Amino acid sequence: MDPYLPPVARHVREREPLIDVQNLTKVYDLGRGRTVQALDGVDLHVPQGQVFGILGRSGAGKSTLLRCVNLLERPTSGSVRVDGQDMTALRGAALRRARRGIGMIHQHFALLSSRTVAGNVAFPLEVMGTPRAQRARRVAELLDVVGLGDRGGSYPAQLSGGQKQRVGIARALAAGPKVLLSDEATSALDPETTGSILDLLRRLNRELGLTVLLITHEMGVIKRVCDSAAVMHDGRFLESGPLPELLAAPDSRLADALFPLPTVDLPGVVTLSYAERATEPVLSALTREFDVDVNILAGTVETVAGAPYGRLKVQLTGERTAEALEYLRARGLAVRTAGDPLAADGAEPTGEGA
């Protein structure tokens, strides 16, 4: 068996983090007694086989966190474990070997202009000392996987932005990693190309069992491919968890940003967050069982990572309104009344391009 072929779909062991970051801090010394704290006690737990998205504005600390995962940046304190190995304890050759299990794709492709497409994909294999015949087989296989089987002899200048990013993905997969890090991989692409790259990442996640950690400032990326997400601001996570739980939470900043609804200054207004029951006629049941009037003021239902989610802002009037709200909660809907605060202080999670 060729040791450089990608693993077949691995069994996803729920609750066992493949990436386990504990209390991570990163402080940059600017000289003359000045410092900048880029990470402030970050905890990150990414289960095997998931696509995990970190959302935040520029300067939130997203890229620093990503580079600490593969130790391109050494954290000031805290620990980083990938596939059970303490990355922060490694140096030199041991660290280089460990990084082979972590592929990385970059915002601006980072391709070698003097090499062909095939040469770019082969480069990490050459560094590893992979024999020429194995390199050729592996490169051909990967170019087919990313849809560039006929472009191996082309140079980066002859490719579109989306094609360049596909080369970058193929190169990141060359060593058969278990983890793929994506550093704003679609922010330089047009919307249609962005969609195709995200679909490719999702397919690789499912077919190869890859665990994907991506950072973005674009809400569409989170909605399209992520299983879990975190909202980052000033080097800290405002919230983090499985996407269904975050979207169903009545006080989630991520849900507010993904499904923005207008502010309505009327009595009896509540915000309902739908998850598994997004397609059930729960509101019509209220009028029948509790004799309340339901006035729908605003709402949206969308497909997020293949499942329907949504939010409604409604006005309820009637003597049994309190009972109706308890009924909704019992049915699994999250309910936020007009006076309920958000879960955490801090800036909104949206950023440029969101």
Side-chain angles (χ1 to χ4, degrees), residues 38-317:
L39 299 177
D40 184 11
V42 173
D43 292 327
L44 170 66
H45 314 292
V46 183
Q48 183 177 347
Q50 278 205 359
V51 179
F52 194 108
I54 300 175
L55 178 72
R57 300 175 185 269
S58 295
K62 308 186 304 297
S63 292
T64 299
L65 175 58
L66 202 71
R67 291 170 64 85
C68 283
V69 170
N70 61 5
L71 267 287
L72 290 178
E73 291 279 359
R74 187 163 289 275
T76 303
S77 63
S79 66
V80 177
R81 301 185 72 86
V82 178
D83 197 21
Q85 189 166 32
D86 186 355
M87 299 292 292
T88 50
L90 303 178
R91 295 183 182 275
L95 179 57
R96 290 192 293 272
R97 285 193 298 270
R99 285 192 182 127
R100 294 176 185 173
I102 307 173
M104 188 166 184
I105 52 179
H106 303 270
Q107 178 179 2
H108 296 294
F109 323 126
L111 301 181
L112 300 172
S113 60
S114 61
R115 280 182 169 243
T116 63
V117 165
N120 271 277
V121 177
F123 182 70
L125 297 174
E126 293 175 18
V127 174
M128 291 168 54
T130 307
R132 182 185 298 272
Q134 288 181 339
R135 287 204 309 267
R137 288 198 304 270
R138 180 64 169 156
V139 169
E141 176 190 73
L142 288 170
L143 290 180
D144 282 337
V145 166
V146 300
L148 294 176
D150 60 344
R151 300 305 299 268
S154 301
Y155 285 86
Q158 299 170 305
L159 304 179
S160 67
Q163 289 172 328
K164 290 177 183 177
Q165 197 55 282
R166 288 173 181 268
V167 177
I169 293 171
R171 180 183 57 192
L173 296 175
K178 292 184 178 181
V179 174
L180 189 61
L181 306 181
S182 172
D183 186 4
E184 300 271 15
T186 60
S187 62
L189 305 176
D190 63 79
E192 183 177 354
T193 304
T194 290
S196 69
I197 294 297
L198 293 176
D199 289 345
L200 173 60
L201 290 177
R202 191 47 147 168
R203 178 167 63 84
L204 294 172
N205 159 254
R206 289 171 174 166
E207 294 181 359
L208 303 182
L210 281 173
T211 300
V212 181
L213 177 61
L214 60 86
I215 63 172
T216 185
H217 61 262
E218 298 173 284
M219 287 293 171
V221 173
I222 301 294
K223 287 197 286 188
R224 188 151 184 160
V225 298
C226 291
D227 300 300
S228 297
V231 177
M232 196 169 195
H233 176 69
D234 281 349
R236 298 180 294 111
F237 283 170
L238 298 182
E239 60 188 14
S240 176
L243 207 55
E245 293 181 11
L246 293 179
L247 295 183
D251 54 2
S252 168
R253 290 182 174 276
L254 181 65
D256 278 346
L258 286 173
F259 302 109
L261 297 177
T263 300
V264 180
D265 187 16
L266 291 173
V269 174
V270 298
T271 301
L272 308 177
S273 299
Y274 286 66
E276 292 91 349
R277 303 187 183 279
T279 58
E280 292 187 15
V282 291
L283 294 184
S284 62
L286 295 186
T287 61
R288 294 193 305 269
E289 297 191 27
F290 300 97
D291 193 27
V292 297
D293 291 324
V294 180
N295 181 20
I296 299 177
L297 305 172
T300 179
V301 176
E302 294 188 41
T303 298
V304 179
Y309 295 93
R311 308 189 99 197
L312 285 178
K313 185 160 287 191
V314 301
Q315 182 185 33
L316 301 182
T317 55

